[in-house]
Amino acid sequence: WIFTAQIPGTGASCTSSGTIVVSGGGGPCTLTCTASAPASGAPGIGINFTSTASATDCFFPPTFSWTFGDGGVSTDQNPQHAYAAAGTYNWQVTVSIIDNSGPIPVTIATCQQNGTITISSCDITCSATGPSSGSVGQTLSFSASASSTICTQPATFSWSFGDGTSSTAQNPTHAYTAAGTWTWTMTATIGGATCVRTGTVTIGDCTITCSANVATSFPANSAVTFSATASVNCTGVTLNYAWDFGDGA
């Protein structure tokens, strides 16, 4: 384009020129868009929102403006947002073509998409097993599992064995130092949701059985062989042996 200004009768003039780019086929700017988000999620977990935009005969690029229904906003095309509390939220994205070439931005075309998302507290299921009986000092094995269909955080485990001892292992071992019936408790946690399982184990005192053998008669001053066996019903016990031969030896 060329602009010319003149002073009549003087021949004085001023000329200014420039270029303008006309994009596309010369038709009006048209804009279409899509947006998607999961239907559900959990508090504190980042949720991915996605959008696309298709502009025809538009010289300026599309911009994105998201509202998530909880006061949160974003201008990213594909943002991630975490909701702090359970509830159902309405989200919306507005895609715009804005002419920023002048002193005042002018919106040429817009497209909106919206939807809802339900945020639920974490669900959790769990199981725990342990032996029903054992002996004092015996090492016993316990096991647990936990899962959630909503939350993705790893599960944590807390065991109480009823005798004042505890463990944070998923599958711990424990040896009781006294006989009795003990109640154990396992608590699994995922994303603030907890699941508790309990059971009992009966611990018995150690018992010992033994036998000893020797010939009933033998010549004086001859070597005599004595033999014995002993067993206990518990582990981790060291047996002591003592013989009294009846002659002071």
Side-chain angles (χ1 to χ4, degrees), residues 78-124:
N78 301 308
Q80 185 180 86
H81 181 68
Y83 290 90
T88 298
Y89 298 90
N90 298 315
W91 57 261
Q92 179 175 279
V93 60
T94 301
V95 184
S96 303
I97 301 295
I98 300 176
D99 181 354
N100 290 306
S101 62
I104 300 176
V106 177
T107 299
I108 300 173
T110 61
C111 176
Q112 286 186 332
Q113 297 290 336
N114 54 64
T116 61
I117 183 170
T118 299
I119 303 300
S120 303
S121 297
C122 289
D123 65 331
I124 184 173

Side-chain angles (χ1 to χ4, degrees), residues 47 49-51 63-82 91-95:
I47 297 168
F49 295 76
T50 60
S51 63
T63 62
F64 300 83
S65 177
W66 289 85
T67 60
F68 300 109
D70 63 346
V73 296
S74 175
T75 57
D76 292 336
Q77 180 177 351
N78 301 308
Q80 185 180 86
H81 181 68
W91 57 261
Q92 179 175 279
V93 60
T94 301
V95 184

Side-chain angles (χ1 to χ4, degrees), residues 21-234:
V21 176
V22 179
S23 61
C29 172
T30 59
L31 177 66
T32 59
C33 64
T34 66
S36 63
S40 61
I45 305 300
I47 297 168
N48 293 319
F49 295 76
T50 60
S51 63
T52 65
S54 177
T56 303
D57 293 329
C58 303
F59 179 68
F60 300 95
T63 62
F64 300 83
S65 177
W66 289 85
T67 60
F68 300 109
D70 63 346
V73 296
S74 175
T75 57
D76 292 336
Q77 180 177 351
N78 301 308
Q80 185 180 86
H81 181 68
Y83 290 90
T88 298
Y89 298 90
N90 298 315
W91 57 261
Q92 179 175 279
V93 60
T94 301
V95 184
S96 303
I97 301 295
I98 300 176
D99 181 354
N100 290 306
S101 62
I104 300 176
V106 177
T107 299
I108 300 173
T110 61
C111 176
Q112 286 186 332
Q113 297 290 336
N114 54 64
T116 61
I117 183 170
T118 299
I119 303 300
S120 303
S121 297
C122 289
D123 65 331
I124 184 173
T125 58
C126 69
S127 64
T129 59
S132 59
S133 61
S135 301
V136 171
Q138 181 181 1
T139 300
L140 305 177
S141 297
F142 298 78
S143 62
S145 63
S147 62
S148 173
T149 59
I150 297 176
C151 296
T152 58
Q153 301 104 311
T156 60
F157 300 88
S158 176
W159 289 84
S160 173
F161 298 108
D163 61 350
T165 60
S166 61
S167 174
T168 57
Q170 180 177 354
N171 302 308
T173 59
H174 181 63
Y176 290 90
T177 59
T181 298
W182 305 95
T183 298
W184 55 260
T185 303
M186 188 285 301
T187 302
T189 303
I190 300 178
T194 59
C195 179
V196 179
R197 294 291 182 266
T198 63
T200 60
V201 56
T202 299
I203 303 300
D205 283 318
C206 283
T207 59
I208 184 170
T209 59
C210 65
S211 64
N213 298 287
V214 66
T216 58
S217 63
F218 48 88
N221 297 320
S222 61
V224 179
T225 301
F226 296 80
S227 62
T229 62
S231 63
V232 294
N233 67 341
C234 51

